[in-house]
Amino acid sequence: MDFVRKNRTDKQLLDIYTELVTPRLIEEKMLILLRQGKISKWFSGIGQEAISVGAALALTNDEYILPMHRNLGVFTSRGVEFTQLFEQFQGKINGFTKGRDRSFHFGSKAHNIVGMISHLGPQLGIADGIALSRLLRKEPKATIVFSGDGGTSEGDFHEAVNVASVWNLPVIFIIENNGYGLSTPSHEQFNFESFTVKGPAYGIEAISVEGNNILEVLNELEPLVADIRENPRPVIFEARTFRMRGHEEASGTKYVPNELMEYWGQKDPIVNYEKWLLDEGVAKESELTKIKDKIKKEISASVKKAFDQPDVVADTATEVEDLFAPFEQEVIAPNGNSTNKRFVDAISDGLKQSLEKYPELVVMGQDVADYGGVFKITEGFVEQFGKERIRNTPLCESAIVGTGLGLSIRGMKSVVEMQFADFVTCGFNQIVNNLAKIHYRWGQNADVVVRMPTGAGVGAGPFHSQSNEAWFFHTPGLKIVYPSNPVDAKGLLNAAIEDPNPYMYFEHKALYRSLSAEVPDSYYTTEVGKAALASEGSELSIITYGMGVHWALDAIQEHEISADVLDLRTLLPWDKLAVQQTVKKTGRVIVLHEDCMTGGIGAEIAAWISEHCFEYLDAPVMREASLDTPVPFAKALEENFLPKQRIKDKIDLLMRY
């Protein structure tokens, strides 16, 4: 292995050695503790230390780095305190995740490290967002994000690299090409020899280095990082290496041919660097031993200190409280004039005023810029706010939601438009596993609003008409709002953007241009978590939201009955007090929604009423909803699918009790 020192002093070379050997010595200690049953799991980076350490040393400490399972050297080179690191591995309260997540599934704001999730690929989109923030703020900084060779098989890799290329983002995608997925060899993952072939396909540079050679990694990365700061662009950086231990320790390496292990064992990054330092006269063996002994002593002391800490004690209130970033909404009342606005105009008005209120708010989505979005919500926005803030995106929902999270890590707000709510499936993982869980896991908020044009009734068929709010209703860590009228559409959108937590904002397409109201012209917010009565009566309560409010109002008018129609407006958190009050008042309840019946939000509300309001009921709690089928296209089929007519029969049935 050839080491090229360039103009590095002996001291600098020894400092590099200290950083390189530190993660190896920690790992050796962790493997002992694993065998003793004192830690539960370990993902080994033995043999790959040069890549992690080289990446961390190539950046300044205020530049972000997004590591994976085998990048312990990133954490140690960034100066993460050993004791807290070991407390994290032990699931202690003072670990980075307070015992809520394990191993390297954490980040540290203090160290500008963004931790991974088990799904691997979503990290890449987050790096895009961090890099985008650097461009928008005109900061000459680079970002590094890691992927294993197996992780590049995920769609997130393609999406993130493509977005970075299209937007010319200053991000380096380091691919640790280490030979295997869990047990799947490279030739079963991809059909090429080197990831350098990926660069030209995306219109970007690609570099391949000997990943076990710390000086080669640094010699290539340092000038690249310096150049990217001045000339922002993405680069694929392949580091050729090998995974010397199992995917995690329990899986072992029996599936790896012995000759491969022997070949790569001879390329050990630490053994070879040590030999070179000795051969070059940079250090004596006693000096290297002294460095290692000092590190081992610090490791042992930190392990003892971490293990002496008490185990986590569960506190339900704290667990629930940490789900969201702290935020107390102060409702902003409108002032001044009101004008007649369609539902679509109210949303556009709210979004425009939020862009004015928050100068770093970014709107992203397909066709949202010059075209104004397929529903024209953002028409004219480019002229006022520019294309840096009103950003057309490639067809890549996952990467764009991840980009929104990356902007949030940098303290910026974003609104991501799904062209249709149906398309959110392509970004589902980012929403339910990254946006929803990140604050609970390590205290990083996700200041992202996902706009969801939803609903049927417009003859758009199975893939442009779904009501999918129940998918997210089941996910702790998200907030969901679903306005039924133009006034709430503007107020709830403003409130969602104001809150530093992740929101799903549902807007019914059929209401866009069919419903108008007097809407205040000024900026205002609607209270999140507060239901409203769309109608007041005494004989019956219909609890609903969105289009269901209008179906309910039509039905009670046709039946000429006195009824409460409770518009939930917010689905997470939903207004239990308002539900209880209307149940106590009428004693008869129907829960109505456009989504399919089975597993819908109505099931949860009906169950809650039965459990908490049983003594007030004069009849069974009933539900009405759409059929348990996909949304059909033909008008007659779609009308049969929706509960608009069936709600009337359900009212008749309930009133006979």
Side-chain angles (χ1 to χ4, degrees):
M1 193 176 290
D2 294 326
F3 291 94
V4 179
R5 69 184 291 164
K6 289 197 169 180
N7 59 351
R8 294 184 175 89
T9 66
D10 286 358
K11 182 182 183 305
Q12 288 172 328
L13 292 170
L14 282 177
D15 287 344
I16 291 169
Y17 174 75
T18 300
E19 298 295 348
L20 186 64
V21 78
T22 297
R24 174 69 62 89
L25 296 176
I26 289 175
E27 282 223 40
E28 289 174 354
K29 182 69 171 180
M30 292 302 108
L31 292 175
I32 292 169
L33 294 173
L34 184 70
R35 287 193 293 272
Q36 292 174 343
K38 293 181 179 179
I39 60 172
S40 62
K41 205 172 189 69
W42 187 254
F43 294 89
S44 177
I46 285 177
Q48 299 181 204
E49 294 91 346
I51 307 165
S52 303
V53 171
L57 296 181
L59 296 178
T60 56
N61 284 341
D62 63 344
E63 291 177 306
Y64 278 80
I65 189 164
L66 295 85
M68 299 294 284
H69 285 110
R70 304 181 207 293
N71 300 129
L72 174 60
V74 165
F75 297 92
T76 55
S77 297
R78 273 285 165 100
V80 175
E81 204 265 328
F82 285 1
T83 301
Q84 190 174 15
L85 199 57
F86 300 146
E87 286 176 323
Q88 171 66 26
F89 300 153
Q90 268 294 93
K92 300 284 188 175
I93 190 64
N94 291 324
F96 291 90
T97 64
K98 301 181 182 178
R100 293 167 182 158
D101 212 335
R102 64 186 185 182
S103 60
F104 297 100
H105 292 213
F106 70 93
S108 171
K109 296 178 186 180
H111 300 90
N112 294 314
I113 296 173
V114 178
M116 61 174 291
I117 65 172
S118 292
H119 301 66
L120 308 181
Q123 283 290 91
L124 304 165
I126 298 173
D128 280 354
I130 293 170
L132 175 59
S133 77
R134 299 299 198 183
L135 279 190
L136 294 175
R137 289 177 174 172
K138 296 179 171 54
E139 298 170 342
K141 298 291 180 181
T143 299
I144 284 179
V145 61
F146 281 83
S147 173
D149 52 295
T152 65
S153 298
E154 292 192 321
D156 281 285
F157 174 80
H158 162 73
E159 291 192 16
V161 175
N162 189 55
V163 168
S165 175
V166 171
W167 289 354
N168 223 30
L169 300 176
V171 57
I172 299 172
F173 297 93
I174 292 185
I175 302 170
E176 293 181 294
N177 189 351
N178 68 9
Y180 281 84
L182 195 158
S183 69
T184 304
S186 295
H187 69 269
E188 294 181 17
Q189 286 280 2
F190 45 83
N191 192 23
F192 48 81
E193 290 299 318
S194 169
F195 281 91
T196 54
V197 301
K198 292 284 189 179
Y202 292 101
I204 66 175
E205 300 162 61
I207 297 169
S208 184
V209 303
E210 172 58 73
N212 286 24
N213 184 326
I214 183 62
L215 294 189
E216 183 172 336
V217 172
L218 282 168
N219 290 343
E220 292 290 341
L221 263 183
E222 286 175 334
L224 178 62
V225 167
D227 193 41
I228 284 174
R229 291 178 187 134
E230 299 303 317
N231 304 290
R233 66 194 188 279
V235 175
I236 288 173
F237 189 94
E238 178 189 47
R240 305 183 306 275
T241 185
F242 198 74
R243 200 189 70 218
M244 297 301 293
R245 301 191 70 86
H247 167 71
E248 36 74 42
E249 287 304 304
S251 65
T253 58
K254 290 182 179 179
Y255 46 83
V256 181
N258 288 334
E259 57 269 24
L260 265 181
M261 296 295 287
E262 291 171 5
Y263 172 78
W264 283 98
Q266 294 171 6
K267 295 168 76 71
D268 185 288
I270 294 168
V271 171
N272 282 282
Y273 188 55
E274 282 181 345
K275 183 177 184 303
W276 180 79
L277 291 174
L278 295 171
D279 290 346
E280 290 291 306
V282 174
K284 297 177 181 177
E285 194 161 340
S286 59
E287 291 178 85
L288 300 185
T289 300
K290 186 177 179 181
I291 289 172
K292 288 188 282 190
D293 287 345
K294 181 181 177 183
I295 297 168
K296 288 178 182 178
K297 186 176 180 180
E298 185 181 351
I299 291 169
S300 295
S302 297
V303 166
K304 183 179 186 310
K305 186 176 177 182
F307 278 48
D308 285 345
Q309 297 301 310
D311 290 335
V312 170
V313 176
D315 177 71
T316 300
T318 301
E319 292 298 288
V320 174
E321 186 178 283
D322 282 356
L323 199 55
F324 295 106
F327 177 73
E328 291 291 333
Q329 183 185 12
E330 295 181 12
V331 176
I332 299 172
N335 61 70
N337 298 328
S338 295
T339 54
N340 189 269
K341 295 180 178 66
R342 300 173 300 175
F343 195 91
V344 68
D345 301 324
I347 296 170
S348 181
D349 197 34
L351 187 54
K352 183 183 296 182
Q353 289 179 355
S354 289
L355 281 157
E356 292 167 346
K357 182 179 175 69
Y358 301 104
E360 289 195 313
L361 171 63
V362 178
V363 174
M364 298 179 285
Q366 295 152 26
D367 306 297
V368 299
D370 305 274
Y371 190 68
V374 295
F375 299 108
K376 303 303 180 184
I377 298 286
T378 53
E379 190 168 31
F381 280 28
V382 167
E383 288 77 6
Q384 182 174 351
F385 303 108
K387 293 193 77 169
E388 283 196 332
R389 295 182 67 198
I390 313 300
R391 303 186 74 90
N392 278 342
T393 70
L395 292 165
C396 53
E397 287 79 6
S398 183
I400 298 308
V401 174
T403 298
L405 180 52
L407 290 172
S408 181
I409 286 167
R410 297 279 290 131
M412 301 171 71
K413 292 179 178 288
S414 63
V415 173
V416 175
E417 178 186 296
M418 294 293 139
Q419 198 164 74
F420 292 86
D422 313 64
F423 299 165
V424 77
T425 50
C426 299
F428 192 76
N429 183 40
Q430 287 281 17
I431 293 169
V432 302
N433 283 318
N434 254 339
L435 298 190
K437 295 180 173 66
I438 195 165
H439 187 268
Y440 173 78
R441 289 172 53 240
W442 56 277
Q444 171 61 56
N445 71 304
D447 199 345
V448 182
V449 175
V450 182
R451 285 187 42 239
M452 301 277 285
T454 191
V458 293
F463 304 114
H464 292 77
S465 309
Q466 295 171 87
S467 295
N468 49 27
E469 61 272 11
W471 297 349
F472 305 101
F473 184 75
H474 185 67
T475 303
L478 298 175
K479 297 185 181 183
I480 306 173
V481 289
Y482 198 143
S484 69
N485 59 76
V487 175
D488 287 343
K490 178 177 175 180
L492 286 172
L493 179 58
N494 286 339
I497 293 170
E498 189 177 86
D499 191 334
N501 290 291
Y503 271 77
M504 308 302 294
Y505 176 90
F506 286 86
E507 50 197 64
H508 204 294
K509 303 187 300 291
L511 296 177
Y512 276 154
R513 291 170 173 80
S514 66
L515 184 64
S516 300
E518 291 295 309
V519 178
D521 296 325
S522 66
Y523 178 92
Y524 65 93
T525 59
T526 299
E527 185 175 355
V528 172
K530 185 74 171 177
L533 285 168
S535 170
E536 294 191 55
S538 58
E539 299 177 76
L540 170 71
S541 298
I542 302 179
I543 300 168
T544 186
Y545 56 90
M547 186 61 82
V549 173
H550 304 283
W551 294 332
L553 292 172
D554 289 345
I556 63 171
Q557 184 177 8
E558 183 175 313
H559 280 76
E560 297 182 343
I561 64 171
S562 172
D564 273 0
V565 175
L566 185 68
D567 180 359
L568 290 173
R569 304 195 296 186
T570 301
L571 304 182
L572 271 182
W574 58 278
D575 191 343
K576 295 180 173 68
L577 178 60
V579 168
Q580 183 183 53
Q581 288 173 338
T582 191
V583 173
K584 288 177 69 173
K585 178 181 176 183
T586 70
R588 289 182 169 83
V589 184
I590 299 175
V591 185
L592 168 68
H593 55 65
E594 181 175 338
D595 191 11
C596 300
M597 176 76 83
T598 301
I601 290 172
E604 172 63 24
I605 295 171
W608 187 89
I609 292 170
S610 296
E611 182 177 352
H612 296 277
C613 305
F614 182 77
E615 64 267 36
Y616 309 123
L617 293 171
D618 297 323
V621 180
M622 295 188 177
R623 291 180 293 151
E624 195 52 73
S626 293
L627 300 180
D628 287 333
T629 71
V631 187
F633 161 63
K635 184 176 181 181
L637 297 178
E638 187 177 42
E639 288 179 349
N640 181 64
F641 167 82
L642 294 169
K644 184 176 180 180
Q645 295 302 317
R646 291 191 298 277
I647 183 61
K648 299 172 183 178
D649 296 334
K650 190 59 63 78
I651 289 172
D652 287 336
L653 177 62
L654 185 58
M655 293 306 294
R656 287 200 294 270
Y657 271 88

